[in-house]
Amino acid sequence: MLQYDPVKKMMLIGVRNHLATGDEVELLLPDDIIKIDTRTLLDANEKSIKEANNDNKIYLPLEREAPVGTVLRQKVK
């Protein structure tokens, strides 16, 4: 995770692999694992997108703050 916006309750991430709406993604915290809702993907300009690829920066919803550098993992298909 690159940054968190507490007002919008969104996190900015750097995508390393293909990610599409509906993909299963989890945020790994030291004390918890949080499932992330990927029905809404926003590009760096906050425009709705259906998928993101390597090196894209996107926003995903996140209700609680998490430290910068937190790891996301995607379920392998």
Side-chain angles (χ1 to χ4, degrees):
M1 181 176 80
L2 302 173
Q3 72 184 52
Y4 180 72
D5 184 332
V7 174
K8 295 178 184 175
K9 296 193 182 282
M10 302 285 282
M11 64 177 160
L12 179 65
I13 65 163
V15 178
R16 302 227 176 167
N17 294 304
H18 182 265
L19 180 67
T21 55
D23 284 351
E24 292 183 47
V25 177
E26 298 175 322
L27 186 66
L28 305 178
L29 299 173
D31 60 341
D32 202 3
I33 296 175
I34 302 171
K35 290 190 180 202
I36 303 299
D37 181 1
T38 60
R39 291 177 292 177
T40 302
L41 303 178
L42 301 176
D43 68 13
N45 298 314
E46 299 186 29
K47 303 289 183 207
S48 182
I49 58 174
K50 297 287 183 194
E51 61 184 17
N53 293 301
N54 188 36
D55 289 333
N56 290 158
K57 291 182 180 168
I58 64 167
Y59 286 97
L60 291 171
L62 182 61
E63 287 299 315
R64 70 182 243 199
E65 192 162 352
V68 170
T70 302
V71 174
L72 282 163
R73 71 177 173 195
Q74 181 178 8
K75 184 173 183 176
V76 178
K77 297 175 185 176

